[in-house]
């Protein structure tokens, strides 16, 4: 009987703690030589980190670049929150305004909700919890995984700590506080805590994707509804046509879309700010009293349960706030802080204040507040700008959806899809064709099914507040174990924001049966897909770990005369970072031939945003050396781009030659020092001859061709598994694997140089 997976994982982690070295250690022969001999080849490679100070931390961009990104962010991020004035008052006063003082109460709620959540929480706190410039739920999860070993897949290596982007956390670990160390140990020892963190991450991801469906529907419907003389189905069909065009434009990329949309959204903010100021002066300047929070208390005293239910409409004023964090990888913290505080906040505040002033004079027009409050001479120009802004509003959540799915892919939490990086100038700007068209279909279906902004708004609020709750919880954990913030400040942050968000969440849940079930249904489906994929991915990794082949197997092959050596280089892809994968001996049994140079390539995702190119490849040569078998771990962050085949081959083989050069030199120094027969000054000549022989061999093998051996493992449940496990593995996972992209498609491996090796894993 195979040992339990948890035992395998535990043993593996202990093994990894001691590193990869399985070489016999020499006795003390001098401090320098001793250090060389004790250093495993993977450790040697890991030690070659960048010494460029600019690589140690994200270098602050110039003000010119920051302002450039701040302008671009207006078109990409703020369309959603910027178009909320289209529907907030109508969604709040669904039964009309019964008391004019209620206008001041709701306006006060809107003002302080915007100040508290988007500005204080996100702009000045949450944005700083980024993972080396990247935001979103998975960025938070990755940051926690890097500090504490809470990942469900046990592929941690001590060499990973030598990466430049790990330096920040190593620095905090050098003098840990008792509280931080205690919480970290609890997280690492609790399987339940690891599962809860993972579920929180994929729930947040699912809700962001849900936002990407609901935002376009409600924004476009609201804007198109301003066309005089149009009603019912006509509005719906025009909205659907606009949505289809919008999603088809996504393939041009965030960079081009941002520059196209930024002027339009800037114009939108100027219009709503100007109209808001005009309405304030024209109708009722006294609404500025709403800055006194006493009106919030009076509003709830006067309306009771009705006031509490109306908060489900008020919360729509902060829709799109999570996009500021999810889209952070497209821009930077300073750019978003500048654009929000100088453009977005003043404009939307004036818009809500102006609408409030208008409603004090014409409360009967609350169902169409936005368009009714526009001065007649500029009605149609404003309508055109409103439709443009509503189209753009969906861009924020679409971009955020692409970014967060790209992150989850790298962490093994989503089926394989094609990720296209759309900007060579700015990293993190991606487009995912499959997800784009699935979102488009979902948006069209929601628009046709719900037809009104009120019904979609009921669903929208749940998705918005759920993501905020998850973000608050994860940032609090980061404050506790990574930032080591004062416990009083942590209590203040968590107490204030979790209380406000829970109140809003209770309000939006009240409308569960009126459309609120939609984002929860989306989340349930997406969490099921992501959970199944990650679960089987983990079990498959543990199976390979349990059945990995000893390094002695290569020595056995070297002595087997029946194994033929073919010209060229063979790259065998495997997920294991330690040992030989079980599919290799299966291949040798069926095809008793090997290429003259074999490299086991393991593509490993690291819980950081990016790995520097000079730190990407880790090599080790397996014994016996004359058999020419190497292991290579290729490390990628969740925002790194896997290069095209020819470029990847070139980088891998250049790094292999650099490794051989260092390894031969180190071995010659050690052998000379041990034997004490050859003077050190003669080493360069000997080393040069040895290196030349290896370089010539590698170059000749490159000319003969690089061939790919891809392990295609069919994963099935063991016969003694229960019905649920059999359904998850044999049916659900199999369906996902067959209907999404295969590994060779993701890695862009040429088919004419690929050999698939099939094997069945029973898990």
């Amino acid at each position: 009987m195979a040992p339990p997976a948890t035992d395998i994982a535990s043993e593996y982690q202990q093994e990894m703690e001691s590193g990869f070295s399985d070489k016999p250690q020499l006795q003390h022969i001098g401090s320098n030589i001793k250090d060389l001999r004790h250093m495993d080849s993977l450790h040697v490679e890991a030690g070659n980190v960048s010494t460029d100070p600019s690589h140690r931390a994200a270098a602050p961009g110039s003000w010119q670049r920051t302002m450039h990104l701040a302008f671009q962010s207006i078109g990409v991020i703020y369309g959603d929150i910027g178009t909320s004035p289209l529907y907030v008052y109508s969604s709040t006063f669904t039964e009309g305004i019964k008391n004019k003082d209620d206008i001041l109460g709701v306006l006060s709620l809107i003002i302080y909700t915007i100040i508290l959540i988007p500005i204080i929480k996100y702009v000045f706190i949450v944005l700083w919890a980024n993972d080396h410039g990247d935001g979103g739920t998975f960025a938070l999860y990755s940051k926690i995984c890097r500090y504490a070993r809470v990942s469900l897949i046990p592929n941690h290596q001590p060499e990973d700590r030598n990466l430049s982007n790990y330096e920040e956390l190593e620095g905090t670990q050098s003098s840990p506080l008792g509280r931080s160390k205690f919480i970290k140990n609890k997280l690492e020892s609790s399987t339940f805590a690891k599962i809860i963190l993972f579920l929180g991450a994929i729930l947040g991801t699912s809700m962001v994707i849900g936002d990407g469906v609901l935002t376009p529907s409600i924004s476009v419907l609201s804007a198109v509804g301003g066309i005089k003389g149009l009603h019912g189905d006509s509005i719906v069909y025009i909205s659907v046509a606009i949505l289809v065009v919008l999603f088809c434009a996504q393939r041009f990329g965030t960079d081009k879309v941002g520059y196209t949309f930024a002027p339009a959204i800037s114009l939108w903010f100027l219009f709503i700010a100007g109209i808001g100021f005009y309405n304030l002066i024209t109708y009722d300047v006294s609404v500025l009293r709403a800055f006194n929070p006493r009106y919030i208390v009076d509003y709830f005293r006067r309306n009771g349960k009705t006031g509490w239910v109306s908060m489900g409409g008020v919360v729509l004023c902060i829709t799109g706030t999570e996009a500021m964090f999810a889209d952070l990888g497209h821009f930077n913290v300073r750019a978003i802080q500048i654009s929000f505080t100088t453009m977005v906040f003043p404009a939307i505040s004036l818009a809500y204040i102006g609408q409030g002033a208008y409603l004090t004079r014409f409360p009967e027009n609350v169902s169409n507040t936005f368009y009714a409050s526009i001065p007649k001479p500029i009605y149609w120009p404003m309508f055109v700008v409103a439709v443009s802004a509503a189209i753009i509003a969906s861009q924020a959540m679409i971009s955020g959806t692409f970014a967060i799915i790209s992150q989850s892919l790298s962490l093994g939490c989503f089926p394989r899809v094609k990720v296209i990086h759309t900007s060579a100038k700015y990293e993190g700007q991606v487009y995912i064709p499959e997800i784009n068209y699935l979102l488009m279909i979902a948006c069209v279906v929601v628009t046709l099914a719900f037809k009104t902004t009120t019904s979609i708004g009921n669903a929208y609020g749940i998705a918005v507040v759920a993501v905020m709750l998850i973000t608050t919880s994860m940032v609090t954990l980061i404050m506790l174990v990574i930032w080591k913030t004062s416990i009083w400040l942590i209590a203040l942050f968590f107490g204030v924001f979790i209380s406000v968000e829970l109140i809003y969440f209770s309000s939006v849940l009240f409308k569960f049966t009126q459309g609120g079930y939609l984002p929860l249904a989306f989340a349930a489906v997406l969490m099921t897909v992501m959970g199944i994929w990650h679960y089987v991915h983990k079990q498959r990794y543990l199976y390979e770990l349990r059945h990995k082949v000893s390094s002695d197997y290569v020595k056995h092959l070297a002595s087997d005369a029946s194994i033929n050596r073919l010209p060229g280089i063979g790259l065998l892809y495997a997920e294991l970072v330690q040992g030989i994968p079980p599919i290799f001996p299966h291949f040798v049994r069926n095809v008793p031939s090997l290429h003259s140079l074999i490299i086991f390539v393991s593509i490993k995702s690291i819980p950081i945003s990016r790995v520097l190119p000079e730190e990407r490849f880790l090599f080790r040569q397996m014994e016996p050396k004359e058999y020419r078998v190497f292991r290579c771990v290729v490390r990628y962050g969740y925002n790194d781009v896997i290069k095209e085949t020819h470029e990847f081959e070139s980088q891998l083989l250049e790094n292999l030659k650099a490794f051989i050069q260092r390894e031969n030199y180190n071995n010659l120094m050690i052998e000379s020092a041990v034997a004490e027969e050859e003077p050190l000054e003669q080493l360069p000549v000997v080393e040069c001859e040895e290196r030349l022989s290896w370089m010539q061999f590698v170059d000749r093998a490159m000319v003969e061709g690089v061939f790919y051996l891809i392990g295609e493992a069919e994963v099935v449940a063991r016969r003694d598994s229960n019905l649920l496990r059999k359904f998850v593995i044999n049916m659900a996972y199999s369906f996902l694997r067959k209907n999404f992209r295969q590994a060779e498609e993701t890695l862009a491996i040429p088919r004419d140089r690929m050999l698939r090796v099939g094997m069945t894993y029973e898990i």
Side-chain angles (χ1 to χ4, degrees):
M1 179 180 294
T6 52
D7 294 342
I8 292 290
S10 176
E11 292 172 8
Y12 175 77
Q13 292 290 7
Q14 293 174 8
E15 181 179 351
M16 300 309 295
E17 282 296 319
S18 60
F20 284 104
S21 182
D22 56 6
K23 301 178 183 179
Q25 303 298 315
L26 295 181
Q27 301 298 321
H28 295 263
I29 55 174
S31 59
N32 293 336
I33 303 302
K34 173 188 172 187
D35 291 343
L36 279 171
R37 190 53 181 154
H38 278 242
M39 186 71 74
D40 182 85
S41 58
L42 280 179
H43 291 135
V44 171
E45 289 290 301
N48 295 316
V49 299
S50 172
T51 57
D52 184 353
S54 65
H55 287 161
R56 295 300 183 183
S62 66
W63 275 107
Q64 182 180 2
R65 180 175 183 272
T66 299
M67 297 305 294
H68 164 87
L69 290 174
F71 175 73
Q72 194 184 38
S73 70
I74 294 172
V76 175
I77 294 180
Y78 302 119
D80 190 3
I81 194 171
T83 54
S84 294
L86 283 166
Y87 47 78
V88 168
Y89 278 109
S90 60
S91 298
T92 303
F93 294 109
T94 55
E95 299 179 2
I97 299 174
K98 299 176 182 178
N99 188 321
K100 287 190 177 181
D101 285 343
D102 289 347
I103 298 171
L104 291 177
V106 168
L107 178 57
S108 188
L109 269 173
I110 291 171
I111 291 171
Y112 283 103
T113 299
I114 294 173
I115 291 174
L116 194 63
I117 305 296
I119 293 185
I120 297 178
K121 178 186 169 182
Y122 277 88
V123 171
F124 292 113
I125 299 176
V126 172
L127 288 183
W128 293 110
N130 66 82
D131 187 20
H132 290 286
D134 290 282
T137 308
F138 262 106
L140 295 176
Y141 179 68
S142 298
K143 193 178 185 77
I144 295 170
C145 285
R146 191 162 73 252
Y147 179 79
R149 292 177 199 164
V150 293
S151 174
L152 294 174
I153 297 179
N155 65 348
H156 170 76
Q157 293 175 281
E159 290 84 3
D160 297 339
R161 294 182 180 276
N162 291 328
L163 290 168
S164 297
N165 288 344
Y166 263 76
E167 183 179 6
E168 173 190 351
L169 295 183
E170 287 183 351
T172 62
Q173 289 177 352
S174 62
S175 56
L177 297 176
R179 180 195 71 214
S180 173
K181 191 172 184 180
F182 173 79
I183 296 173
K184 177 186 173 186
N185 292 337
K186 286 293 183 182
L187 289 173
E188 292 179 344
S189 61
S190 172
T191 303
F192 177 76
K194 294 178 182 179
I195 293 174
I196 290 297
L197 274 173
F198 173 73
L199 290 177
I202 64 173
L203 176 60
T205 302
S206 303
M207 288 298 182
V208 169
I209 298 172
D211 281 356
V213 173
L214 297 172
T215 298
S217 300
I218 192 171
S219 299
V220 174
L221 272 175
S222 299
V224 176
I227 302 178
K228 294 179 179 179
L230 276 185
H231 300 285
D233 291 343
S234 299
I235 294 175
V236 172
Y237 295 144
I238 293 174
S239 299
V240 167
I242 291 173
L243 289 171
V244 171
V245 172
L246 171 66
F247 279 99
C248 290
Q250 293 301 313
R251 64 189 180 89
F252 296 110
T254 304
D255 193 39
K256 296 182 179 65
V257 170
Y259 257 119
T260 304
F261 287 172
I265 287 292
S266 297
L267 185 62
W268 163 259
F269 283 129
L270 291 175
F271 261 100
I272 63 174
I275 292 172
F277 183 75
Y278 170 82
N279 288 335
L280 174 64
I281 300 300
T282 303
Y283 297 111
D284 190 357
V285 179
S286 67
V287 295
L288 293 176
R289 291 177 294 164
F291 280 96
N292 185 345
R294 179 178 64 85
Y295 287 96
I296 297 176
V297 178
D298 293 342
Y299 175 72
F300 287 119
R301 284 178 177 172
R302 190 165 49 248
N303 293 281
K305 180 180 177 182
T306 304
W308 167 70
V309 172
S310 71
M311 293 181 70
V314 174
V315 77
L316 297 181
C317 73
I318 55 172
T319 57
T321 300
E322 186 67 25
M324 284 194 296
F325 189 45
D327 283 341
L328 182 59
H330 298 188
F331 308 102
N332 62 42
V333 174
R334 291 297 182 195
I336 293 177
Q337 288 178 330
I338 291 170
S339 58
F340 191 87
T341 55
T342 61
M343 170 70 82
V344 180
F345 176 64
I348 60 177
S349 297
L350 277 172
Y352 288 119
I353 291 170
Q355 289 181 23
Y358 172 83
L359 288 175
T360 60
R361 185 77 61 88
F362 305 102
E364 67 277 6
N365 292 337
V366 68
S367 61
N368 191 31
T369 305
F370 180 80
Y371 284 110
S373 65
I374 298 174
K376 290 184 179 180
I378 62 169
Y379 181 88
W380 287 110
M382 187 61 197
F383 170 76
V384 173
V385 176
V387 172
S388 301
I391 294 171
I392 297 165
S394 60
Q395 183 62 48
M397 295 316 303
I398 293 172
S399 300
T401 299
F402 291 159
I404 205 165
I405 288 179
S406 177
Q407 295 171 6
S408 61
L409 272 171
S410 299
L411 297 174
C413 300
F414 202 87
R416 300 184 189 99
V417 291
K418 184 178 182 179
V419 178
I420 300 173
H421 290 254
T422 57
S423 175
K425 192 174 182 181
Y426 301 112
E427 297 180 346
Q429 300 188 356
V430 298
Y431 165 66
I432 305 176
E434 296 98 320
I435 300 301
N436 182 62
Y437 293 113
L438 286 174
L439 286 176
M440 182 183 73
I441 293 170
C443 281
V444 170
V445 170
V446 167
T447 305
L448 291 172
F450 284 80
K451 297 187 178 182
T452 65
T453 58
T454 302
S455 299
I456 298 176
N458 295 336
Y460 203 9
I462 291 180
V464 170
V465 184
V467 177
M468 291 179 179
L469 284 168
I470 293 169
T471 300
T472 298
S473 301
M474 286 194 165
V475 171
T476 301
L477 186 58
I478 287 173
M479 288 179 169
L480 283 167
V481 300
I482 300 179
W483 290 353
K484 300 180 178 67
T485 310
S486 165
I487 193 66
W488 301 109
L489 292 177
I490 295 173
L492 180 64
F493 171 84
F494 184 76
V496 170
F497 292 112
I498 207 72
S499 299
V500 172
E501 289 161 4
L502 282 175
I503 292 171
Y504 273 119
F505 194 62
S506 66
S507 175
V508 295
L509 280 179
F510 185 79
K511 299 180 180 180
F512 178 83
T513 58
Q514 303 169 38
Y517 59 84
L518 187 61
L520 297 179
F522 279 147
V525 172
L526 289 167
M527 285 186 68
T528 300
V529 169
M530 297 172 75
I532 288 173
W533 188 267
H534 188 74
Y535 169 75
V536 180
H537 179 71
K538 173 192 172 185
Q539 295 301 321
R540 173 178 169 170
Y541 190 91
L542 292 175
Y543 177 92
E544 293 188 343
L545 190 60
R546 187 182 300 117
H547 295 86
K548 67 180 180 180
V549 181
S550 169
S551 300
D552 292 337
Y553 180 75
V554 177
K555 298 177 182 178
H556 169 73
L557 288 180
S559 61
D560 189 345
S562 65
I563 303 297
N564 300 317
R565 300 306 294 267
L566 305 176
I569 300 173
L571 304 181
L572 192 146
Y573 279 82
E575 293 187 15
L576 274 183
V577 296
Q578 174 79 353
I580 300 173
I583 207 162
F584 180 62
H586 178 73
F587 166 75
V588 173
R589 283 194 299 269
N590 289 275
V591 185
S593 300
L594 295 174
H595 291 89
S596 58
L597 180 64
I598 292 291
I599 305 175
F600 294 105
V601 179
S602 176
I603 303 292
K604 179 182 177 183
S605 294
I606 305 290
I608 57 177
S609 58
R610 293 172 185 85
V611 175
L612 299 179
E614 59 267 36
E615 300 176 359
R616 190 174 309 286
F617 296 90
L618 296 181
F619 281 96
R620 175 179 177 181
Q621 186 170 11
M622 305 184 72
E623 299 288 350
K625 291 187 176 181
E626 60 271 14
Y627 207 62
R628 300 180 295 276
V629 177
F630 294 84
R631 277 178 38 221
C632 175
V633 178
V634 189
R635 303 180 293 185
Y636 286 95
Y638 53 75
N639 278 333
D640 280 327
V641 186
I642 297 181
K643 301 295 184 182
E644 294 294 328
T645 305
H646 65 279
E647 189 174 351
F648 175 80
E649 290 175 2
S650 175
Q651 290 179 355
L652 184 143
L653 295 175
E654 287 301 318
N655 278 274
L656 172 63
K657 290 192 283 187
F659 161 75
I660 291 171
Q661 178 178 347
R662 285 190 297 269
E663 188 76 354
N664 284 343
Y665 181 75
N666 292 340
N667 288 340
L668 285 167
M669 286 187 67
I670 293 167
E671 291 169 5
S672 175
V674 172
E676 295 184 353
E677 294 176 355
E678 187 175 11
L680 286 178
E681 58 267 17
Q682 296 180 15
L683 280 175
V685 178
V686 179
E687 184 267 336
C688 184
E689 294 176 354
E690 181 76 15
R691 185 181 75 246
L692 182 61
S693 174
W694 269 103
M695 296 303 106
Q696 290 175 341
F697 180 84
V698 173
D699 289 337
R700 186 169 64 250
M702 289 174 61
V703 172
E704 291 165 344
V706 178
F707 302 90
Y708 295 83
L709 310 177
I710 304 297
E712 186 171 329
E714 180 184 3
V715 181
V716 298
R718 291 200 308 262
R719 294 182 180 180
D720 59 347
S721 300
N722 57 45
L723 289 176
L724 178 60
R725 177 173 291 198
K726 287 181 178 179
F727 172 79
V728 167
I729 298 173
N730 297 346
M731 299 182 68
Y733 175 78
S734 178
F735 174 82
L736 293 173
R737 188 175 65 86
K738 291 176 181 177
N739 287 278
F740 283 85
R741 292 182 181 267
Q742 302 300 311
E744 63 271 14
E745 294 175 325
T746 306
L747 299 171
I749 295 174
R751 294 183 179 275
D752 59 342
R753 291 190 280 138
M754 179 181 67
L755 176 63
R756 296 191 185 190
V757 185
M759 187 175 178
T760 300
Y761 290 177
E762 286 192 353
I763 63 175

